[in-house]
Amino acid sequence: MTNENDPIAKPSLTTKKLYPENQESPIHFLSNKQTPASLFYKRNHFSYPPFNYANFWISVNGSVKKPIAFSIEELLALPSKTVEVVMECAGNKRSLFRPKVFGEQWEKGAMSVGRFKGVALKTLLEKANIDSNSQEVVIEGYDDGYRSDLDNVYAYMRSLPLKKALHPDTLIAYSYNDQPLPFKHGYPIRLIVPGWYAMASVKWVKQITVISASFAGPFQTIDYMYYPNLDNDEDAFPVTTINVNSTIQYPLDRDIVDTGKHTIKGIAWTGDGVIKKVEVSVDGGESWMPASVDNGQEFSLSQWSLTYPFTAKKEYTIMSRATDSNKRTQPESPFWNRKGYGYNAVDQITIKVE
Amino acid sequence: MTNENDPIAKPSLTTKKLYPENQESPIHFLSNKQTPASLFYKRNHFSYPPFNYANFWISVNGSVKKPIAFSIEELLALPSKTVEVVMECAGNKRSLFRPKVFGEQWEKGAMSVGRFKGVALKTLLEKANIDSNSQEVVIEGYDDGYRSDLDNVYAYMRSLPLKKALHPDTLIAYSYNDQPLPFKHGYPIRLIVPGWYAMASVKWVKQITVISASFAGPFQTIDYMYYPNLDNDEDAFPVTTINVNSTIQYPLDRDIVDTGKHTIKGIAWTGDGVIKKVEVSVDGGESWMPASVDNGQEFSLSQWSLTYPFTAKKEYTIMSRATDSNKRTQPESPFWNRKGYGYNAVDQITIKVE
């Protein structure tokens, strides 16, 4: 039937698009908390940047008293910090919205989790001595290209409010799971903004510019905005913090399983606080049982499980619902928005017991 | 925007299950007709068989006058034949059935196409001199395991009616795209039954048994039967010949594209005859235009395309509909069946032009 020790069956990324390369992590088939680099989801806005590694410097400029540039060697010599972080694309689970929305049809694997090591962005900003009227920090990547809705070439760049930029866990990262950052994930350095959807974590960082105004680049004023209405942009607001969420990893949707005990298992995460509770329903949400949940750290993942005796030969609709330490709970229905960001309705699968 | 020459973006298989290993081919991202071995879809009923390559013999026995065993070397010395063949899982596109059915939720990539080389099964049967009352030929693979619906361990085995077994293109294959068959696809030898869904093409062939009766193994009397009813097995009939079918490869479903000309492209195939016509609709099936179609050989794939000027900024529902030389045409709605085999309704995607 199954042989879970089969040494030669290996999960793969799921290709959603090649140009730019967007590939989803095989989220249902990962049992360890940390996603191996080879199975980390890939999400790009543009082609991969050409890159001259030999001449790499990162500059901090703008509203600062002392513009400064760091070589990789200098970054490596600064005090480091390691944080285990969920990176989740704001469009994760977009394919589940009804009515359907346009854009990359991510299923449940536009997310990964692992240990990023680097220098706190705060450390670099302090060395540049930022002006007292500073408001935001703009991070620009080496990746650029055309947008179909605008005329010019745009670099991928976004700003962070000063408070988030100075958060001690906001990193200029150079390492993933104890190895150099893979090229496709930002080598040699990327920004890591724990707790925010991953559009904030700019890859292939080119420069850091402190500004005393509000940045209005297209990747935070056109894209990565929640548009609650189909036909107009009213009431739009920016995508920032990761919503509380969970995904059932086993069983798989539409699986056929034997009667008897089965362990339902999965993951849960939140961008603000820690996961406090995961509940599971096997009757389509009529009743809920508490799952055992490990002690997820802030910004990381919790793993949960519940063993249930499936005695009746019939269909079961299984759901999971996570709650975080800020009392945010997954809603029954998602917050529909035109560009399909932040899906976090209770997760749901259906199985047949024979 | 996009760079189709980006050298480092590579498609991946899509993992549907690991034990047994079921992985889908990235069908939308393959431009050549022949699927590279590394992207050939994987569909297993059991764990991979352990295998003693050094002692490999294949025997032909049963209702034969001269039971005989062939070594790999002897097979390689026999006259060979090469056929370009579509291998399609009977459950390809199963996830599209409504109401949804249980079982592996294959999307559109449970199929691959390439050149198989081997010895005609007919040649081996002639050497064994089959009895005149022979009716079927049972092919047994080295893969075996438990089934949840039966008590014993079963080897994967299926029979072919004598006529199909003696078809000159039914092969005992040892090569794929000019390389030895990959282990996961049946190394050292597998059966290839052109024109039939791929459950017929037994991998890791162990023995060939000629019988003078009808074989009733579970892989052709329980599985791989069309059950038209949800609640009973009435009117069931076996899955055999591949239905006429097509898949739109570009654009991708729910893509957002610029106004202007875009080339809609895809593939079409049939298990009986050749593809004669592919029609494309951009208005949800109201009107149809003929696509240009290459001259697909019997058992292989046709590639088709149509360039259309998308002038209006709106949503377009694009459909493709193939017709073969036997006048079989893809239906508007699929033939729903409880186990979800043979889906071949017109293919359909929706895009937004901005």
Side-chain angles (χ1 to χ4, degrees):
Chain A
M1 194 166 55
T2 64
N3 171 9
E4 300 221 357
N5 297 314
D6 190 328
I8 48 175
K10 287 190 300 188
S12 312
L13 292 166
T14 298
T15 308
K16 308 304 280 188
K17 191 170 281 183
L18 280 187
Y19 309 105
E21 188 175 16
N22 288 335
Q23 305 225 33
E24 185 162 324
S25 190
I27 195 77
H28 296 92
F29 307 101
L30 300 177
S31 50
N32 295 323
K33 198 169 279 195
Q34 289 165 17
T35 311
S38 62
L39 297 179
F40 201 99
Y41 82 100
K42 295 171 187 161
R43 198 280 181 254
N44 292 286
H45 296 79
F46 302 118
S47 289
Y48 291 105
F51 208 83
N52 184 342
Y53 301 107
N55 290 330
F56 182 78
W57 290 81
I58 177 174
S59 65
V60 183
N61 52 42
S63 291
V64 297
K65 294 193 181 58
K66 188 188 167 212
I68 187 170
F70 301 88
S71 69
I72 288 286
E73 291 70 22
E74 286 167 339
L75 281 177
L76 290 169
L78 289 170
S80 72
K81 179 150 197 184
T82 300
V83 188
E84 192 171 276
V85 184
V86 167
M87 286 280 107
E88 183 185 12
C89 176
N92 191 28
K93 302 191 180 185
R94 177 181 287 137
S95 63
L96 303 178
F97 279 107
R98 296 291 180 279
K100 284 183 83 67
V101 297
F102 290 89
E104 208 62 278
Q105 294 299 295
W106 297 111
E107 296 169 73
K108 299 177 184 177
M111 61 177 295
S112 295
V113 57
R115 280 175 304 115
F116 289 93
K117 179 180 175 182
V119 180
L121 175 56
K122 184 178 194 288
T123 304
L124 306 189
L125 295 174
E126 281 171 356
K127 287 188 184 295
N129 200 354
I130 63 177
D131 291 339
S132 58
N133 63 345
S134 303
Q135 278 191 39
E136 296 187 352
V137 179
V138 179
I139 294 90
E140 178 179 351
Y142 273 98
D143 47 331
D144 62 20
Y146 284 97
R147 290 175 57 100
S148 62
D149 52 356
L150 296 171
D151 283 336
N152 285 320
V153 166
Y154 283 81
Y156 189 75
M157 55 200 294
R158 282 184 51 98
S159 73
L160 285 176
L162 203 58
K163 189 179 172 193
K164 193 71 182 172
L166 293 174
H167 188 290
D169 289 331
T170 297
L171 301 182
I172 291 293
Y174 46 72
S175 160
Y176 178 70
N177 287 354
D178 302 320
Q179 297 293 320
L181 215 54
F183 171 69
K184 291 190 172 185
H185 299 292
Y187 181 89
I189 58 163
R190 72 175 297 172
L191 183 66
I192 292 293
V193 185
W196 279 33
Y197 282 109
M199 74 282 150
S201 295
V202 178
K203 290 178 289 216
W204 308 290
V205 173
K206 183 180 185 177
Q207 64 175 334
I208 297 165
T209 305
V210 183
I211 60 173
S212 55
S214 208
F215 182 66
F219 297 101
Q220 63 196 78
T221 53
I222 298 176
D223 300 332
Y224 300 115
M225 293 285 284
Y226 291 107
Y227 297 101
N229 306 312
L230 180 62
D231 295 325
N232 64 65
D233 291 356
E234 276 169 39
D235 304 321
F237 60 101
V239 175
T240 58
T241 306
I242 292 175
N243 290 328
V244 62
N245 216 332
S246 69
T247 289
I248 300 165
Q249 292 176 299
Y250 181 86
L252 297 170
D253 191 28
R254 296 282 152 183
D255 252 357
I256 301 167
V257 304
D258 293 339
T259 52
K261 283 188 180 179
H262 290 275
T263 298
I264 305 161
K265 73 185 188 74
I267 52 177
W269 66 100
T270 179
D272 191 8
V274 296
I275 292 296
K276 276 293 183 194
K277 182 169 71 172
V278 176
E279 296 158 292
V280 172
S281 172
V282 298
D283 55 10
E286 293 279 305
S287 63
W288 295 86
M289 297 167 279
S292 7
V293 189
D294 71 0
N295 293 315
Q297 297 161 284
E298 196 185 0
F299 306 131
S300 184
L301 202 63
S302 287
Q303 295 181 301
W304 55 264
S305 65
L306 173 83
T307 301
Y308 184 82
F310 291 89
T311 48
K313 293 187 177 185
K314 61 169 193 173
E315 296 181 18
Y316 290 83
T317 293
I318 302 176
M319 295 174 160
S320 67
R321 180 171 70 186
T323 300
D324 70 19
S325 52
N326 289 302
K327 297 196 167 59
R328 303 193 306 172
T329 295
Q330 290 181 259
E332 204 175 307
S333 302
F335 168 60
W336 189 93
N337 60 100
R338 193 172 79 234
K339 291 206 171 192
Y341 296 124
Y343 186 102
N344 78 326
V346 292
D347 201 37
Q348 175 176 334
I349 64 164
T350 303
I351 64 166
K352 187 172 168 184
V353 175
E354 282 191 344
Chain B
M1 194 167 58
T2 64
N3 171 8
E4 301 219 358
N5 297 315
D6 191 327
I8 49 176
K10 287 190 300 188
S12 312
L13 292 167
T14 297
T15 308
K16 307 304 278 188
K17 191 170 281 183
L18 279 187
Y19 311 104
E21 188 175 16
N22 288 335
Q23 305 224 35
E24 185 162 324
S25 190
I27 195 77
H28 296 92
F29 306 101
L30 300 176
S31 50
N32 294 323
K33 197 169 282 195
Q34 288 165 17
T35 311
S38 61
L39 298 179
F40 201 99
Y41 82 100
K42 294 171 187 161
R43 197 282 182 252
N44 292 286
H45 295 81
F46 302 119
S47 290
Y48 290 105
F51 209 83
N52 184 342
Y53 300 107
N55 290 331
F56 182 79
W57 289 82
I58 176 174
S59 65
V60 183
N61 53 42
S63 291
V64 298
K65 296 195 178 57
K66 188 188 166 211
I68 187 170
F70 300 88
S71 69
I72 288 287
E73 290 71 21
E74 287 167 339
L75 283 177
L76 291 170
L78 290 170
S80 72
K81 179 150 197 184
T82 299
V83 188
E84 192 170 275
V85 184
V86 167
M87 286 280 108
E88 182 186 12
C89 176
N92 191 28
K93 303 191 180 185
R94 178 181 287 136
S95 63
L96 302 178
F97 279 107
R98 296 292 180 277
K100 284 183 82 66
V101 297
F102 290 89
E104 208 63 278
Q105 294 299 295
W106 296 110
E107 297 168 73
K108 300 176 185 177
M111 61 177 295
S112 295
V113 58
R115 280 176 303 116
F116 289 93
K117 179 180 176 183
V119 180
L121 175 57
K122 183 178 195 287
T123 304
L124 306 189
L125 294 174
E126 283 171 354
K127 287 189 183 293
N129 200 354
I130 63 177
D131 292 338
S132 57
N133 63 346
S134 302
Q135 279 190 39
E136 295 188 352
V137 179
V138 180
I139 293 89
E140 178 179 351
Y142 273 99
D143 48 331
D144 63 21
Y146 286 96
R147 289 175 58 100
S148 62
D149 52 356
L150 296 171
D151 283 337
N152 286 318
V153 166
Y154 283 81
Y156 189 76
M157 54 201 295
R158 281 183 51 97
S159 73
L160 284 176
L162 203 58
K163 188 179 172 194
K164 193 70 183 173
L166 293 175
H167 189 290
D169 289 332
T170 297
L171 300 182
I172 292 291
Y174 47 71
S175 161
Y176 179 70
N177 287 354
D178 303 320
Q179 297 294 321
L181 215 53
F183 171 69
K184 292 190 173 185
H185 300 292
Y187 181 89
I189 58 163
R190 73 175 297 172
L191 184 66
I192 292 294
V193 185
W196 279 33
Y197 282 110
M199 75 282 148
S201 296
V202 179
K203 290 177 288 213
W204 308 290
V205 173
K206 184 180 186 177
Q207 63 175 334
I208 297 166
T209 306
V210 183
I211 60 173
S212 56
S214 207
F215 183 66
F219 297 101
Q220 63 196 77
T221 54
I222 297 176
D223 300 332
Y224 301 114
M225 293 283 285
Y226 291 107
Y227 298 103
N229 305 313
L230 180 61
D231 294 326
N232 64 64
D233 291 357
E234 274 169 39
D235 303 321
F237 61 100
V239 175
T240 57
T241 306
I242 292 174
N243 290 327
V244 63
N245 216 331
S246 69
T247 290
I248 301 165
Q249 292 176 298
Y250 181 85
L252 297 169
D253 191 28
R254 297 281 152 185
D255 252 357
I256 300 166
V257 304
D258 292 339
T259 51
K261 284 187 180 178
H262 291 275
T263 299
I264 305 161
K265 73 185 189 73
I267 52 177
W269 65 100
T270 179
D272 191 9
V274 296
I275 292 295
K276 275 294 181 194
K277 181 169 70 170
V278 176
E279 297 157 293
V280 171
S281 172
V282 298
D283 55 10
E286 293 279 306
S287 64
W288 295 85
M289 297 167 279
S292 8
V293 188
D294 71 1
N295 293 315
Q297 297 161 283
E298 196 184 1
F299 307 131
S300 185
L301 202 64
S302 287
Q303 296 182 300
W304 55 264
S305 66
L306 172 83
T307 300
Y308 185 82
F310 292 89
T311 48
K313 294 187 178 185
K314 61 169 192 173
E315 295 180 18
Y316 290 83
T317 294
I318 302 176
M319 294 174 160
S320 67
R321 181 171 70 186
T323 300
D324 69 18
S325 51
N326 289 303
K327 296 196 168 59
R328 303 193 306 171
T329 295
Q330 289 180 258
E332 204 175 307
S333 303
F335 168 59
W336 189 93
N337 61 99
R338 194 172 77 233
K339 291 207 170 191
Y341 296 124
Y343 187 103
N344 78 325
V346 293
D347 201 38
Q348 175 176 334
I349 62 163
T350 305
I351 65 167
K352 187 172 167 183
V353 175
E354 281 191 344

